[in-house]
Structures are given as structure tokens and as C-alpha cells.
Amino acid sequence: VPAVPPAPLGCDDPESLAIAEAAVNYINGHSHHGYKFALNRVEDIRVVPQGPNSDIIFIELDLLETKCPILSPTPLANCTVRSFVEHAVEGDCDVKLQKVDGTLSVLASKCHSHADSREDIRKVCPDCPLLAKMNNTEVLGAVSAALNDYNSKTTDSYLRLLEIGRAKIQYHPVHTVVAEFAVGATNCSAEEAKANVGACQLLPEDQSNFGFCTAVMVKHPSQDLQVDCQLYGHQVRAPHIPLLSRPGVTYAHPGQDTS
Amino acid sequence: SVTKRAVAEAAQHDKVPRPVGFVPPPPPCPGKILHFDI
């Protein structure tokens, strides 16, 4: 009598959620761009037995961006999912894992991230500002001005722009640009950079020190600029494996100064 | 002629009388949404 195949794993089974958690941790640990993702739903899961105590698992995940930058040391459990009205970004990921003797390991992963549709947000919140394009000149100008302002006042290391995380532009009642961007410390002090900014390079991998800044530029009716940066200190990260397709602008050389 | 027997069997199961108040189990997938649907 042929052996009865095991019942298919349900997407909400504890075992599936444990596999999903391992997959999400792998994705967050191997991406160096954007923000950390949190699980929103297990779309599908398939287990293919390979032999005694050995399975190959294919899992499809719906993820949502959190407010934690990818380089932030904050644990995922403490990262808040960006709300729907803040123009959430979703990640669709297909992950292949292997489970041998109860130990899970990721074999391959592919993700595609995309912002929610503007129409959906307009229905719920007509006046909410939406994500601006990364190469929007107002956004680039605001980020550049904010980073220059920060570097002109800091007594620490000179910071270089790594990438823009997200940005929004509000036109009414106040014309405001809000941008979040990742920065990296360089081998110059801010003072030394004033003399020769070209000589300021990102610190090497073993001394790297990344951070994240939030800038608010008010353009009309008054003019004001506020920028707040937080550096994370040196961290050892898994090697970067490009997993996410990223819309918008990619910088040929990390640390390329936008000024 | 080619017949799809597997589907027919499933259909027959559907016609099995259910006890009053029977709630079919949720489909194994997709799972429930933890935050919101986008």
C-alpha cells in the first residue's frame, strides 16, 4: 500500500510562520538598501520531501516595509510597519529553503518591491502627501542642502550620501519636502572636508559606520530646514546579495556626493 | 476519450451531506493578513 502523503502545510501553521520568519530575517540580513521588511501574509508554501529528514520548501511571502532603515541595528520586532496612509511599500518574495534534520537554510530568494498605488491612497486620504520619485529635483535639492547643513555643524566625521530612502512633497497648506536618506561616515572630519572634500572617502568595510537622516525643508510661505542624523556605529553585516529590484535612482558609487 | 476523474471525485465529496453547523476548514493558503492589504 503506497504511503499516505503528509497533509499539505497550511500557510498559517506555526511551522509555516517559523519558515516565513527565517526567510524574512534572511532577506533583511542580506539587503543593504531601503528599509526592513516585516511579514504581512504567507501567500503560499510547498514542501517537497527530499528524503528522510530532508525537505525543500518553496514559500511565497507578502511583506510590508517598516520604518527601520535596513542598516539600523533595531530588532525587527521593534520596527513599526509603515502605515497605509504613509504610502506603504510592499515586497513580494519567493524564497527557496532547505530543512535538514530540523535546521532551516535559505537556498535562494527573489523579491520585488513596489509602492502602493496612488489611487488607493487618494481614496482613503485625499490630502495625504504621496511618495515622490527618487530623482525628483526638489527632493535631491533638499537632501543635498540638509546634508551640507548637517556637515557644516557637526564636529564628527564628514558624512556622505549613500542613498535616498523615501521622500514626500506637500504643497498645501505649507510647501514642504520631507526626505529620509542613508549616510556613511568618511575618513575626514567635517573641518577637514571643508578644505578638500574630494579626499573624503567612505570608511573601509571593517570600520564602516552608517547612519540615517531625516530632513524637513519648509519652502513656502517661510523657509526652514531641519535635519536629524543618527549614526549606528560599526556593524558587521552579511555580504550584500542584491535581492530587491529597486525603482528610482541607483548611485553608481556609494557615497557619491550630490552637492 | 480523456476524463478528469480526480476533479469529479472532489465534486462528489462536496455532495456528501454535512452535519448541521459544519464549518469547512479554512483553505491552507493564502494565510491571514497580519497588517493590511495593499
Side-chain angles (χ1 to χ4, degrees):
Chain A
V1 175
V4 176
L9 211 52
C11 281
D12 285 332
D13 288 355
E15 185 178 350
S16 301
L17 295 176
I19 293 166
E21 184 181 357
V24 170
N25 285 341
Y26 176 88
I27 290 165
N28 284 332
H30 287 78
S31 170
H32 288 183
H33 295 283
Y35 297 85
K36 293 184 180 182
F37 277 95
L39 178 67
N40 191 34
R41 176 169 66 176
V42 177
E43 180 76 22
D44 196 9
I45 186 166
R46 232 168 9 101
V47 179
V48 180
Q50 295 293 294
N53 294 321
S54 175
D55 297 324
I56 293 288
I57 301 161
F58 297 92
I59 190 167
E60 294 177 26
L61 301 172
D62 286 349
L63 308 179
L64 282 173
E65 252 188 14
T66 69
K67 294 183 178 181
C68 287
I70 199 71
L71 300 174
S72 162
T74 308
L76 182 61
N78 298 343
C79 295
T80 308
V81 167
R82 202 166 294 272
S83 69
F84 180 83
V85 292
E86 289 179 275
H87 208 156
V89 173
E90 178 184 40
D92 294 319
C93 294
D94 296 334
V95 185
K96 177 180 177 181
L97 304 99
Q98 184 177 42
K99 189 172 186 179
V100 176
D101 296 328
T103 302
L104 276 171
S105 56
V106 173
L107 298 179
S109 174
K110 182 183 71 173
C111 292
H112 177 71
S113 71
H114 55 88
D116 190 10
S117 78
R118 305 167 78 87
E119 294 71 25
D120 283 354
I121 298 189
R122 287 266 184 251
K123 285 175 199 165
V124 174
C125 181
D127 296 330
C128 286
L130 300 175
L131 278 177
K133 288 199 181 305
M134 294 254 223
N135 55 2
N136 177 289
T137 50
E138 273 197 89
V139 169
L140 286 179
V143 168
S144 180
L147 190 52
N148 287 343
D149 181 63
Y150 183 88
N151 278 325
S152 68
K153 294 172 183 170
T154 187
T155 55
D156 292 334
S157 168
Y158 178 77
L159 301 181
R160 270 192 181 283
L161 176 67
L162 290 182
E163 66 172 11
I164 297 173
R166 66 181 3 236
K168 291 181 182 175
I169 303 174
Q170 183 152 4
Y171 295 94
H172 303 287
V174 179
H175 185 174
T176 309
V177 179
V178 178
E180 299 177 13
F181 50 97
V183 292
T186 66
N187 56 356
C188 301
S189 69
E191 203 55 39
E192 291 164 344
K194 285 174 185 169
N196 181 11
V197 71
C200 303
Q201 298 305 315
L202 282 175
L203 292 173
E205 187 93 14
D206 58 335
Q207 304 164 37
S208 61
N209 185 3
F210 301 116
F212 209 75
C213 302
T214 302
V216 180
M217 174 181 270
V218 177
K219 304 185 80 173
H220 183 80
S222 60
Q223 293 204 327
D224 183 37
L225 174 60
Q226 289 176 14
V227 55
D228 176 41
C229 293
Q230 181 193 1
L231 288 179
Y232 303 137
H234 176 63
Q235 291 176 79
V236 177
R237 286 193 61 81
H240 170 59
I241 300 176
L243 298 172
L244 284 175
S245 62
R246 288 191 50 76
V249 175
T250 53
Y251 290 90
H253 305 292
Q256 185 179 359
D257 202 325
T258 58
S259 55
Chain B
S1 61
V2 176
T3 60
K4 281 191 175 184
R5 282 173 301 166
V7 170
E9 285 168 359
Q12 284 168 2
H13 282 313
D14 284 349
K15 289 182 179 135
V16 171
R18 306 280 188 202
V20 174
F22 171 74
V23 176
C29 291
K32 60 181 181 292
I33 291 176
L34 300 177
H35 298 281
F36 48 84
D37 194 7
I38 194 170

